[in-house]
């Protein structure tokens, strides 16, 4: 049996396994734009895809889903409930926020700005975003959040330096 080549070791503070919406939400919560990140060091994301939500978007395309079922305040940047609506306004894409066919019983009460309402006065936070708008919003979020993307599958994650704290992770 031929000897195995040594594996590269990446040391990081946080490892997120998977690249779905939950992973982007975890990254946003850990290193969000408020400048108060609790993470010191590298955040690594391990996923077989080439970017966040890669498999998720593939399933949406295969099923021809052109609109999310969740209202616009439900997105990976959870501490900023208006972020998706603000993105749509900035990009001139509010037409891609469609009124929900059912009444939304709960929504964040942190924002009642007139620019976050459609022509009838209904809150855009309750609207259902197009898949394309959500994809582009998530891509912009991914681009602004510091992380190291590792294309692959996690088979082992171990705390570096033994059981003591502060050593980070290697994989």
């Amino acid at each position: 049996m031929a000897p195995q080549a040594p594996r590269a070791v990446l040391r990081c503070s946080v490892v997120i396994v998977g690249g779905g919406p939950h992973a982007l939400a975890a990254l946003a919560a850990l290193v969000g734009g408020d400048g108060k990140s609790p993470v010191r060091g590298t955040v690594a994301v391990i996923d077989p895809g080439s970017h966040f939500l890669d498999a998720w978007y593939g399933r949406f395309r295969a099923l021809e889903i052109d609109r999310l079922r969740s209202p616009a305040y439900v997105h990976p940047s959870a501490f900023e409930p208006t972020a998706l609506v603000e993105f749509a306004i900035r990009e001139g894409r509010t037409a891609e926020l469609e009124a929900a066919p059912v009444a939304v019983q709960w929504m964040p009460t942190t924002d009642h700005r007139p620019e976050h309402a459609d022509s009838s006065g209904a809150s855009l936070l309750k609207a259902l975003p197009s898949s394309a708008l959500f994809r582009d919003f998530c891509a912009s979020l991914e681009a602004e959040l510091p992380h190291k993307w590792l294309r692959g599958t996690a088979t082992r994650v171990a705390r570096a330096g033994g059981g003591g704290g502060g050593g980070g992770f290697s994989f």
Side-chain angles (χ1 to χ4, degrees):
M1 178 176 229
Q4 291 185 350
R7 297 181 120 187
V9 174
L10 171 68
R11 297 200 182 273
C12 55
S13 301
V14 176
V15 177
I16 299 172
V17 178
H22 64 285
L24 186 54
L27 180 64
L30 288 168
V31 299
D34 64 1
K36 299 177 185 175
S37 173
V39 176
R40 302 288 180 250
T42 303
V43 176
V45 182
I46 303 171
D47 186 83
S50 61
H51 54 81
F52 280 102
L53 290 92
D54 194 21
W56 199 72
Y57 295 136
R59 288 189 292 275
F60 264 53
R61 280 189 303 275
L63 296 170
E64 298 178 358
I65 299 172
D66 64 349
R67 188 157 307 281
L68 273 66
R69 295 180 297 168
S70 302
Y73 64 83
V74 179
H75 54 73
S77 189
F79 297 123
E80 301 174 42
T82 62
L84 178 54
V85 169
E86 290 171 5
F87 176 81
I89 291 168
R90 218 175 26 256
E91 298 293 315
R93 296 174 65 183
T94 56
E96 293 182 57
L97 294 167
E98 185 176 284
V102 296
V104 176
Q105 299 300 316
W106 180 91
M107 64 177 271
T109 57
T110 59
D111 183 77
H112 296 289
R113 290 180 275 181
E115 64 267 24
H116 290 178
D118 66 13
S119 59
S120 72
S123 175
L124 291 174
L125 291 173
K126 295 180 183 180
L128 304 180
S130 72
S131 297
L133 177 66
F134 186 76
R135 179 195 62 231
D136 295 346
F137 168 73
C138 290
S140 73
L141 190 59
E142 176 178 4
E144 74 184 44
L145 298 173
H147 64 285
K148 173 76 174 162
W149 186 267
L150 301 172
R151 192 169 188 177
T153 304
T155 57
R156 179 177 177 273
V157 178
R159 180 173 290 283
F169 295 93
S170 65
F171 45 94

